[in-house]
Amino acid sequence: MGAGFVAFLLGATGPALLVYQAATNAGYPAAVIDSWFFAIYVGGGLLSLLLAFLYREPICGAFPIAGSALLVTVLGGYTVGEAVGAFLVSGVLVAALGFSGVFQSILERIPNEVVMGALAGILLPFGIEVFAILPGEPVLVGAMMVAFLLFFRFARAVPPALAALVVGMVLSAAGGGFDLGDVSVALARPVLVAPAFDLGAMFSIAVPLTLLALATQNAPGIGILRAGGYRPPVNAITIFSGLGSVLTAPLVGNGLNIAAPMTAVCAAPEAHPDPARRYVATVVQGLLFIAFGLAGATAVSLIRALPPALIVCVAGLALLPVILQSLRLSVGQPRHALAAGAALLIGASNVTLLGIGSAFWAIVAGVLLARFLGQDSSEAK
């Protein structure tokens, strides 16, 4: 139960703030944001429960964290309907890959170093922004960074980003920057949004969202389970992720997948000495996700009351481990280093070409460059 609670905290702190940032940057109304939270948390929780009871393995369902970070930068150029259309197409693509059984073969054709490079480029601005806002909010941001480092060093059982969030909320409340009077207690009221299909949104949102969900969440999550002695059903996981994404897309859900970091917590020996009992941690995580989603309106009002600097800082700190891992698995590898570096720089550039965002071009350029240079090129070594 403790492992399930920690896994829930991993998905309900930094990732929740990313979704809120993406929605507010795009100018979406409160009702849409509430529905978005309901879709991804209730949907992710139900996915956890489904996989846990069907396969008795600690497979944690969630939403694409890297994809949510991508949306922070690209969503502003599209209407809610166009975003829903892209989310829907992404879900169809994921489900189709699961039904066809070609998920693994497609990933093998796209160098992992390139995908990780594109991911690092997408996430890098979030880490940079933490230091960019430090001069303007030295006490708040500095204290949060210190709390993050202390818990990272001495109390890893507690997510360091959560410690930073708590410290930031306390300081903000003491300074009058966080008023609990603005927080409302209410259940989520999901809304249905008709999809609209825009070609630019397909390439800027749907395609990168699909690749990031499968390559940065499902694939490593499956690897974690296999390393723990489990036999995860790869195609079934992909199919359920895709179908769940299709069902939640009209509620403004940006997709469902299994969450690698949360799965790592629930599948660890610390969760339970008996591997056959560790799926209970996933059940706890799933139930907490559902509860959080049902109270989505309250969660959104709580986030809305937070100072912007606190939101930026927590999001950057929460993504820091992912940024470092992405750098290590991209430009830190001897193979395809140059192609991964190009993907990183293009992904970080936030450039738009032919109405298509940088995440798509980062992956395309990286794949083409990797093929041109060859696996064993001297430049990559």
Side-chain angles (χ1 to χ4, degrees):
M1 292 181 66
F5 181 69
V6 171
F8 159 72
L9 290 177
L10 286 174
T13 49
L17 298 180
L18 285 175
V19 171
Y20 181 77
Q21 276 187 288
T24 52
N25 286 357
Y28 292 170
V32 170
I33 302 176
D34 293 348
S35 185
W36 192 339
F37 271 68
F38 174 88
I40 57 177
Y41 281 101
V42 173
L46 291 174
L47 181 60
S48 289
L49 297 181
L50 176 67
L51 295 174
F53 286 120
L54 282 180
Y55 303 105
R56 293 297 195 272
E57 295 187 3
I59 309 170
C60 291
F63 56 97
I65 298 174
S68 300
L70 166 71
L71 296 178
V72 173
T73 59
V74 305
L75 202 58
Y78 303 99
T79 66
V80 179
E82 290 169 345
V84 167
F87 298 160
L88 187 63
V89 169
S90 177
V92 171
L93 290 175
V94 173
L97 290 173
F99 281 115
S100 66
V102 300
F103 167 44
Q104 190 62 39
S105 63
I106 288 180
L107 285 183
E108 289 173 355
R109 295 178 181 275
I110 301 176
N112 187 59
E113 295 87 348
V114 168
V115 175
M116 291 296 108
L119 176 61
I122 293 168
L123 300 184
L124 198 58
F126 291 93
I128 294 173
E129 190 65 20
V130 174
F131 296 92
I133 63 173
L134 179 59
E137 295 280 357
V139 176
L140 175 64
V141 177
M144 293 173 66
M145 293 173 68
V146 169
F148 180 89
L149 292 173
L150 288 175
F151 276 79
F152 186 87
R153 175 66 178 84
F154 298 109
R156 295 290 290 273
V158 177
L162 175 63
L165 174 61
V166 172
V167 169
M169 291 175 67
V170 171
L171 287 177
S172 298
F178 176 42
D179 186 4
L180 289 175
D182 296 332
V183 177
S184 61
V185 179
L187 293 176
R189 295 181 179 179
V191 297
L192 287 173
V193 177
F197 300 98
D198 176 82
L199 187 61
M202 295 303 109
F203 287 103
S204 295
I205 298 176
V207 174
L209 203 61
T210 301
L211 290 175
L212 289 174
L214 294 177
T216 68
Q217 293 295 317
N218 278 22
I222 290 167
I224 288 167
L225 290 166
R226 286 176 173 171
Y230 297 100
R231 299 180 63 185
V234 177
N235 288 336
I237 288 173
T238 309
I239 290 170
F240 285 128
S241 297
L243 293 179
S245 299
V246 170
L247 292 174
T248 55
L251 301 174
V252 204
N254 62 313
L256 300 178
N257 49 242
I258 66 172
M262 294 159 57
T263 297
V265 170
C266 293
E270 291 79 10
H272 198 283
D274 183 2
R277 300 286 299 278
R278 293 173 192 164
Y279 78 94
V280 174
T282 297
V283 174
V284 173
Q285 172 264 320
L287 292 173
L288 290 173
F289 253 46
I290 292 172
F292 189 77
L294 292 174
T298 302
V300 171
S301 69
L302 180 63
I303 294 172
R304 193 179 293 118
L306 297 174
L310 186 149
I311 295 175
V312 170
C313 186
V314 171
L317 293 175
L319 289 172
L320 182 58
V322 185
I323 294 171
L324 296 176
Q325 183 186 38
S326 302
L327 290 171
R328 179 176 62 82
L329 295 177
S330 57
V331 294
Q333 299 297 310
R335 197 176 70 141
H336 300 310
L338 184 55
L344 186 156
L345 295 175
I346 295 172
S349 70
N350 199 27
V351 66
T352 299
L353 184 62
L354 301 178
I356 302 171
S358 61
F360 174 79
W361 295 118
I363 294 172
V364 169
V367 170
L368 293 177
L369 190 56
R371 286 179 174 268
F372 172 74
L373 296 175
Q375 177 175 322
D376 302 317
S377 66
S378 58
E379 291 90 346
K381 295 180 180 179

